[in-house]
Amino acid sequence: MGTDGSARSPAEDRIVPSGDVLAVLSADMTVSVWAGAAERLWGYSADEILHKPVERLLVSDGPDTPRICAGGPWSGRVRIRRRDGREATADLRLTRLDPDAGGSWLLWGPNTFGRPGLEPAAVEALVHRSPISLAIWDRELRCVWFNDSVHNQDIYGAEPELGAHLTDVLRVRQPEFLQYAMETVLSTDVPILGHELRPAAARANDGHYSVALVRLDGPDGRPLGVCSMAVQAGIGQKGGRLGLLNEAKSRIGTDLDPLVTSQRLAETAVPNLADYVTIDLVEAVSPDREPLRRLKATDTSIPGFYRAGAASIHEDLRESLWARGTAVYVPTDSPFTAVLASGRSYFEPVLDTSPGTWLDNDPERSRVIRQTGMHSLMIVPLQARGATLGIAVFVRSRNPVPFSRTDLALAEELSARAALIIDNALRYTRERTAALVIQRDLMPRHLSGRGTVEVATRYLPADTHGGVGGDWFDVIELSRSRAALVVGDVVGHGVKAALSMQRLRATIRALSKLEVPPDELLRLMDELAIDMARDCPGEDEGEGACTAPAIAATCLYGVYDPGTRRCTFSSAGHPPPLIVSPDGSVDFAEVPPGPPIGVGLGFFGTAEVEVADNSVIALYSDGLIEMDHDVDRGMQELRTALAASVSGLDDLCASVVDTLAPDGPVDDDITLLLARTHPAAAS
């Protein structure tokens, strides 16, 4: 029945919540925070319901009422009892606010943000992942709720308690100032932003916390309490926790060299977090280093790591017993080996150097600890993709404050970020080293034109994220004193490109010995590439046809005939050659470009170019002329560089590369082949 005695419609009986957060329930399932949306739903004001049991809001004989009153995650449709005594149906959800079993609970309606699924994600981020600590205080400044971040800030007690007064929860210098600030916010409703708090145990030059205070009002405008938000604004001499993480993000990961990445991690943490930091990896990052398992152990220690990074407040790194790139020896039973084996951090805020510890088996390290005053230690594993890559060691000596659990959490976060970058760098280094070995082993070492041409070459492998490419060059002796000049570029980078290069080079040499004309040779190469594509396994299809060509490459092939003083060129999508005449003029040879090898079009043209004695034929890859991706400008710069008055052919080769690529390769390999026609060739 309605209030006037008339019958109610079903629509009147169903109350749809607004979708806002409704209330915060304490561990004893009493109401500690009451929102305006809850007052509209139930009709109770905050004064009427605060600190009252939640069962007062529910129909006593409802099937889910006992479960809700007992506490626990819950969601569904429930019968509620409004202030006027009427019963209604509401869709509610109960979410834990505290990870501990006896923590607080948040009562809210569905679709808080207007989109299903966003509300639990937002609450999860706010409660468990926000770097900002949030706490709610009632009018008596007693804590009624806080999020997880208070456990990572040393301005709070180790175990803050709900219901405890402000001065019992916070461990700060001059807490009376904060109490006065909160009381001012309560009385004036003027927020306070940027209030500074310093931990009670902090030194004068330690970082501080920046706190914002905002009053929480009920629907009637009366204050319910204060919300405090704190973020760390300073650690040591630079930035804060967030500043240090941002600095690490900007410095770590800009280079795919594991040594550089490790060193930047160490430098980022000194002196912001520690006085001395080392990064030690279980894998040698230089190809000239022996694997650790091949190094000989001593009577008390084993080769456990390679030193990849080290930073200290002392420029001479007096704390370090090992230089970067060298093997680090540790006792078999030590925190270093324990962290490596378990994958869990080692935390010793007050370093125990008394007899009977692991340091008894490490006299040299013990000596350094005493000499430098090391007194606090953290060892954090570097883990990525399920593997432990090494350890990061953080030490304090000059800073007299021991490491805190907050410091350990920060060290673990820094190490986790760096570990992924180091892992990528190690993977890249392994593949690039393998590709370089293949490339250099397969490149021709002694090119000879047998008196027909004098040869000079340059090859510079790329040092980028893409890795070593598949460039190659060759000079092949033919009958009648002729010489074939070849330069090519396989599409792609890495080991696959290097192996594809070798297959092409070997095939071209074989076809050249059969005296196949240049255009016919490229046509046969194109057909062979298509056949290889049909025979190779597809990446997603198992055995069968490839979805892409097994080999795709550009190539310029020329045959110089000293009898006619002519060079016959054919091109498979490669940049044109240049001819440097004896008088110093430089011109591009007009060679039909043709399609790349592996496309399957199979048509290649030829061009005959007259070449005077003592001329220089220049063949190159596009890595030499890709100047800021402006190929036309690069080709003109190459033309100018070849016109330089340099006597020796090898000197000219070096001069051209230094002029066009003074800093080395950018995104691709650089290849240059110069062939000077010999005057005696005519006879």
Side-chain angles (χ1 to χ4, degrees):
M1 300 291 289
T3 55
D4 57 355
S6 61
R8 295 195 310 268
S9 67
E12 289 177 302
D13 186 60
R14 175 165 177 76
I15 298 175
V16 180
S18 65
D20 293 327
V21 174
L22 302 176
V24 175
L25 307 180
S26 299
D28 59 359
M29 300 310 290
T30 59
V31 178
S32 57
V33 175
W34 190 249
E39 180 168 353
R40 291 191 296 273
L41 179 58
W42 273 280
Y44 289 105
S45 67
D47 288 337
E48 293 174 312
I49 202 65
L50 283 177
H51 310 300
K52 300 296 191 301
V54 69
E55 61 184 345
R56 184 170 179 176
L57 305 173
L58 307 172
V59 174
S60 59
D61 58 352
D64 292 307
T65 297
R67 183 175 176 184
I68 297 174
C69 294
W74 182 90
S75 65
R77 185 169 301 174
V78 65
R79 299 291 293 178
I80 66 173
R81 187 179 301 282
R82 303 184 75 251
R83 183 178 180 276
D84 58 10
R86 291 169 51 190
E87 296 183 8
T89 302
D91 293 322
L92 302 178
R93 186 180 303 219
L94 198 60
T95 304
R96 189 187 300 278
L97 282 181
D98 194 306
D100 297 327
S104 302
W105 299 88
L106 185 68
L107 184 65
W108 49 302
N111 303 332
T112 304
F113 296 95
R115 185 180 299 174
L118 284 182
E119 63 276 28
V123 172
E124 169 71 16
L126 178 68
V127 175
H128 300 301
R129 298 200 301 273
S130 172
I132 302 174
S133 69
L134 303 173
I136 297 177
W137 314 83
D138 64 14
R139 285 193 293 263
E140 287 75 37
L141 302 186
R142 297 186 180 278
C143 184
V144 296
W145 178 81
F146 52 77
N147 70 349
D148 289 355
S149 290
V150 302
H151 299 292
N152 297 326
Q153 295 183 348
D154 50 4
I155 57 174
Y156 289 89
E159 295 295 336
E161 295 183 3
L162 292 175
H165 190 265
L166 165 73
T167 54
D168 297 323
V169 175
L170 288 166
R171 301 287 187 265
V172 297
R173 293 182 177 182
Q174 301 173 323
E176 63 274 10
F177 289 160
L178 178 61
Q179 181 174 341
Y180 174 76
M182 284 192 177
E183 291 171 347
T184 301
V185 171
L186 275 171
S187 61
T188 64
D189 194 22
V190 177
I192 291 180
L193 306 177
H195 184 82
E196 281 193 12
L197 287 182
R198 293 183 182 274
R203 302 174 304 166
N205 64 336
D206 269 351
H208 66 277
Y209 290 81
S210 180
V211 180
L213 304 173
V214 181
R215 192 173 86 175
L216 302 176
D217 291 342
D220 57 359
R222 297 178 59 187
L224 299 177
V226 177
C227 178
S228 65
M229 295 158 279
V231 62
Q232 200 167 9
I235 296 180
Q237 301 173 0
K238 298 181 182 178
R241 177 186 177 91
L242 293 178
L244 183 58
L245 292 176
N246 287 333
E247 181 182 354
K249 183 178 180 180
S250 64
R251 294 187 65 185
I252 302 172
T254 59
D255 194 290
L256 275 179
D257 185 332
L259 289 175
V260 172
T261 300
S262 299
Q263 182 63 23
R264 286 176 178 169
L265 170 60
E267 292 173 351
T268 299
V270 173
N272 301 339
L273 178 60
D275 296 328
Y276 172 58
V277 175
T278 60
I279 309 299
D280 297 329
L281 305 179
V282 296
E283 178 179 339
V285 297
S286 177
D288 60 344
R289 298 291 181 185
E290 288 284 344
L292 290 170
R293 63 181 180 275
R294 296 183 183 177
L295 300 180
K296 186 177 180 180
T298 69
D299 293 337
T300 58
S301 60
I302 59 173
F305 308 92
Y306 270 105
R307 178 63 44 85
S312 169
I313 56 175
H314 303 112
E315 293 185 1
D316 58 1
L317 278 175
R318 64 190 64 172
E319 303 93 337
S320 184
L321 294 170
W322 295 276
R324 289 180 65 206
T326 61
V328 176
Y329 284 74
V330 296
T332 55
D333 185 13
S334 68
F336 310 105
T337 54
V339 170
L340 188 63
S342 67
R344 294 190 297 270
S345 298
Y346 177 83
F347 180 58
E348 191 173 2
V350 179
L351 184 59
D352 185 3
T353 58
S354 61
T357 67
W358 61 273
L359 286 170
D360 291 348
N361 296 323
D362 201 342
E364 282 300 304
R365 189 177 271 108
S366 181
R367 175 183 59 80
V368 170
I369 289 174
R370 290 193 302 270
Q371 289 179 349
T372 58
M374 299 181 187
H375 63 87
S376 194
L377 171 67
M378 299 186 298
I379 306 175
V380 178
L382 296 169
Q383 296 175 313
R385 300 178 177 93
T388 301
L389 311 177
I391 58 174
V393 181
F394 301 83
V395 177
R396 278 184 179 170
S397 54
R398 179 185 296 174
N399 186 340
V401 179
F403 286 122
S404 66
R405 287 286 176 180
T406 302
D407 296 324
L408 177 61
L410 178 56
E412 289 175 337
E413 188 166 358
L414 285 172
S415 300
R417 293 189 180 196
L420 286 173
I421 307 300
I422 293 174
D423 186 50
N424 290 336
L426 288 172
R427 290 167 182 257
Y428 164 74
T429 300
R430 285 192 293 266
E431 180 168 342
R432 184 174 187 274
T433 300
L436 274 174
V437 170
I438 294 173
Q439 188 85 321
R440 288 170 176 168
D441 284 351
L442 299 181
M443 277 289 191
R445 289 180 173 81
H446 304 290
L447 293 178
S448 173
R450 194 189 289 170
T452 302
V453 290
E454 175 192 355
V455 178
T457 62
R458 286 293 185 277
Y459 170 71
L460 283 73
D463 190 13
T464 65
H465 293 195
V468 179
D471 287 16
W472 87 95
F473 54 83
D474 210 345
V475 176
I476 307 167
E477 298 175 358
L478 304 178
S479 62
R480 301 191 303 277
S481 299
R482 293 174 302 153
L485 309 175
V486 189
V487 67
D489 184 1
V490 174
V491 175
H493 296 84
V495 174
K496 182 178 179 181
L499 292 174
S500 297
M501 174 274 293
Q502 169 60 6
R503 296 169 74 183
L504 283 178
R505 178 172 175 262
T507 305
I508 287 178
R509 289 186 71 89
L511 292 175
S512 297
K513 294 298 184 179
L514 296 176
E515 306 288 341
V516 177
D519 56 340
E520 181 66 12
L521 182 144
L522 293 182
R523 186 187 67 78
L524 292 173
M525 290 298 302
D526 187 49
E527 289 183 3
L528 290 172
I530 298 300
D531 290 341
M532 294 176 190
R534 294 192 185 102
D535 293 337
C536 78
E539 294 182 358
D540 299 324
E541 301 173 356
E543 296 297 328
C546 288
T547 57
I551 296 179
T554 64
C555 181
L556 179 66
Y557 183 88
V559 175
Y560 173 67
D561 187 344
T564 61
R565 295 187 180 89
R566 289 181 174 274
C567 192
T568 304
F569 291 105
S570 188
S571 174
H574 203 83
L578 288 99
I579 309 298
V580 184
S581 300
D583 60 5
S585 61
V586 183
D587 297 295
F588 285 99
E590 296 184 1
V591 180
I597 293 172
V599 173
L601 296 181
F603 177 78
F604 301 93
T606 59
E608 281 196 1
V609 180
E610 187 171 347
V611 182
D613 290 341
N614 281 322
S615 296
V616 175
I617 304 172
L619 284 69
Y620 52 93
S621 65
D622 55 6
L624 185 64
I625 57 174
E626 289 178 340
M627 305 181 65
D628 298 326
H629 303 288
D630 188 343
V631 175
D632 292 337
R633 184 168 70 91
M635 293 177 70
Q636 294 306 317
E637 291 286 344
L638 174 59
R639 183 176 185 174
T640 302
L642 285 169
S645 56
V646 179
S647 57
L649 192 63
D650 194 70
D651 292 339
L652 177 61
C653 201
S655 173
V656 169
V657 173
D658 291 343
T659 300
L660 270 70
D663 299 324
V666 179
D667 296 318
D668 202 357
D669 296 1
I670 288 177
T671 305
L672 177 62
L673 168 64
L674 300 183
R676 189 194 302 275
T677 59
H678 200 282
S683 60

